[in-house]
Amino acid sequence: MRRTIGSCRHYVLLAVFVFAVNIALMFPVSSTASAADADTEQYAREIAVMVNEARAANGLPPMYISPYLMSVAKLRANESVILIDDKHHRPDGTKWSTAIDRNIAPYIYAAENLAAVGTTPAAVMTQWQTSPRHWAAILSTSPTHMGVGVVYDPESRYKWYWILDMIQYSGEGGVMEGQYLPQKYDIVPKSCGDINGDGVVDTFDYVNLTTYLEKKAAGEPVSYNDLQLEAADCLKDGQVTVADAKALQRYLLGEYTALPYEF
């Protein structure tokens, strides 16, 4: 049925001219049952958004996401599982910056932040914010483009590996192929009940909500953003529970004429 809607343990840090490298290391955090299923791509997007929010708060222009740099950062995160040192060497002994093909991404400045700590983007950003070198790299006036990579490897020493690669792109026109500004929300609901953001309230939203509640009850990872949580709160009581799913079901059956349902 479909109803249409109107409406470190320690820090190891190094900074050099042109290349800046920063590492934040702590004791490995204990993994959770949901860690293996974490949406690392969503985590990477959240880091990018928070980086630009920090830059905006300090009067700096945003950095563009480059699909190519995203692939580089993912590669570097995977390499960090194998090797982390104070100079950000790659497993083959070369500098981290050799992961960037300068024929694809010519640059005049490059910096890398690495964290092997925390299980959420917010925790990683807090670590970087409390490290002067990390934060200086994020708030530098030089970089124009960035890529973020996140890897979870439960068998490795630190388990979580977070990479933020930033460059000042020097290619012709200053525009990298496919560049875009990261958005905070991938899904934007149009009204109460429109949980998947497709502009209608239907059985897909009901199944989405019941699946969310089942996973949450089982301790499995859930990934609703703030707007989805607001849309799922069909009773507007400040929480998302089975009662909201029942309200959504009754709306779809025609028992309720509007959402949110008001007693």
Side-chain angles (χ1 to χ4, degrees):
M1 179 179 236
R2 169 177 289 206
R3 299 186 66 169
T4 304
I5 5 178
S7 34
C8 287
R9 182 175 177 181
H10 65 279
Y11 295 106
V12 182
L13 306 168
L14 173 68
V16 297
F17 181 69
V18 179
F19 299 109
V21 291
N22 306 287
I23 303 176
L25 302 176
M26 292 183 68
F27 286 115
V29 294
S30 57
S31 61
T32 63
S34 63
D37 298 317
D39 188 344
T40 55
E41 290 187 4
Q42 172 64 24
Y43 281 1
R45 183 185 304 114
E46 290 179 25
I47 288 285
V49 168
M50 286 188 280
V51 164
N52 277 344
E53 287 177 342
R55 290 176 64 82
N58 286 271
L60 296 170
M63 283 187 279
Y64 285 94
I65 284 285
S66 158
Y68 172 68
L69 290 179
M70 291 293 280
S71 67
V72 170
K74 186 74 170 184
L75 170 64
R76 288 289 300 127
N78 277 300
E79 291 181 343
S80 297
V81 176
I82 303 170
L83 175 67
I84 294 178
D85 68 8
D86 61 347
K87 294 184 179 180
H88 289 218
H89 283 122
R90 304 180 68 189
D92 64 3
T94 59
K95 292 181 179 180
W96 74 270
S97 54
T98 62
I100 303 174
D101 185 339
R102 299 188 75 154
N103 291 315
I104 299 175
Y107 59 85
I108 57 176
Y109 168 93
E112 177 173 271
N113 278 6
L114 186 157
V117 55
T119 59
T120 66
V124 172
M125 286 296 293
T126 296
Q127 287 295 322
W128 285 342
Q129 187 171 17
T130 55
S131 166
R133 300 268 185 170
H134 288 86
W135 206 237
I138 287 173
L139 299 184
S140 170
T141 58
S142 297
T144 57
H145 293 77
M146 65 175 160
V148 184
V150 183
V151 166
Y152 173 72
D153 185 336
E155 303 303 320
S156 64
R157 181 181 181 187
Y158 294 107
K159 297 181 174 61
W160 288 93
Y161 303 83
W162 309 73
I163 288 285
L164 170 62
D165 285 333
M166 300 163 280
I167 69 169
Q168 182 177 353
Y169 181 66
S170 61
E172 185 176 355
V175 177
M176 293 191 69
E177 183 176 357
Q179 72 176 38
Y180 61 92
L181 290 175
Q183 301 298 314
K184 186 170 186 177
Y185 298 115
D186 217 16
I187 298 175
V188 180
K190 307 301 185 296
S191 74
C192 184
D194 177 29
I195 298 167
N196 63 9
D198 65 356
V200 296
V201 177
D202 55 21
T203 53
F204 290 108
D205 296 295
Y206 176 73
V207 171
N208 195 310
L209 178 54
T210 55
T211 300
Y212 167 87
L213 292 169
E214 289 170 1
K215 286 186 175 182
K216 184 176 180 181
E220 297 179 24
V222 290
S223 57
Y224 277 4
N225 64 44
D226 293 343
L227 298 182
Q228 286 180 290
L229 289 173
E230 184 178 352
D233 185 9
C234 296
L235 299 177
K236 286 295 176 279
D237 58 0
Q239 55 187 339
V240 177
T241 67
V242 173
D244 295 293
K246 289 181 179 178
L248 178 56
Q249 183 182 47
R250 290 181 176 179
Y251 173 76
L252 294 172
L253 292 173
E255 296 178 22
Y256 292 167
T257 59
L259 290 176
Y261 177 75
E262 297 182 3
F263 293 98

